[in-house]
Amino acid sequence: MSTIDDEPIKTPLTLDDGVDFAVIEHLFFAYRDFTADPDAILAEYGFGRAHHRVLHFVNRLPGLTVAELLDVLRITKQSLARVLKQLIDDGYIVQVPGPRDRRQRELYPTQKGRDLAMELALPQSRRIRAALEEAEPGDVAAVERFLRAMVNPELRPQMDKLPNGRSK
């Protein structure tokens, strides 16, 4: 027996529903294409997006502790442990005891890890550069302000720790 709740709805959601679907969809499509090139490279290594994120931040902030990395990535210790073990075992990252607290583990890329991080970042950098070439003067700053505003306010200081950032 059919009820009104399981009848198909044949009209799309629109701006009239109070949601800016265009911006949401732009973000969906941009993210899909932004991650496509690195995803293909990662697949060749048997890695996934979590590996990419770990490699990215360890290369951007060498000496980052495991605790700091967990805070940046917002993933569970168990999820990080699996990915980190693989990257360490395969020679992309090394783990060094902290100078003040030997229990604290600092993470550093190896040359192999640096090379892979660059291989993953270059197609993303080319995509960003090509998109910005289509933009108007001043749009770069507006895009950066918009993306920064998309980050939870209490987490924005993490962005300020990155070297050579223009996001401040």
Side-chain angles (χ1 to χ4, degrees), residues 96-106:
V96 176
R100 289 175 297 286
D101 183 347
R102 308 294 287 166
R103 295 168 300 172
Q104 200 172 45
R105 295 170 295 154
E106 294 180 348

Side-chain angles (χ1 to χ4, degrees), residues 63-66 93-100 104-108:
L64 187 71
T65 66
V66 171
I93 290 176
V94 293
Q95 198 168 231
V96 176
R100 289 175 297 286
Q104 200 172 45
R105 295 170 295 154
E106 294 180 348
L107 304 171
Y108 294 89

Side-chain angles (χ1 to χ4, degrees), residues 78-138:
Q78 184 178 2
S79 296
L80 178 60
R82 179 187 60 79
V83 169
L84 201 50
K85 180 178 181 344
Q86 192 174 10
L87 290 169
I88 291 169
D89 288 351
D90 291 352
Y92 294 94
I93 290 176
V94 293
Q95 198 168 231
V96 176
R100 289 175 297 286
D101 183 347
R102 308 294 287 166
R103 295 168 300 172
Q104 200 172 45
R105 295 170 295 154
E106 294 180 348
L107 304 171
Y108 294 89
T110 62
Q111 189 60 54
K112 187 176 175 182
R114 175 65 48 99
D115 292 345
L116 180 54
M118 286 301 295
E119 184 181 354
L120 297 168
L122 285 171
Q124 290 183 313
S125 179
R126 284 192 294 270
R127 181 177 295 279
I128 291 167
R129 189 172 33 253
L132 291 175
E133 285 173 4
E134 294 184 26
E136 299 293 325

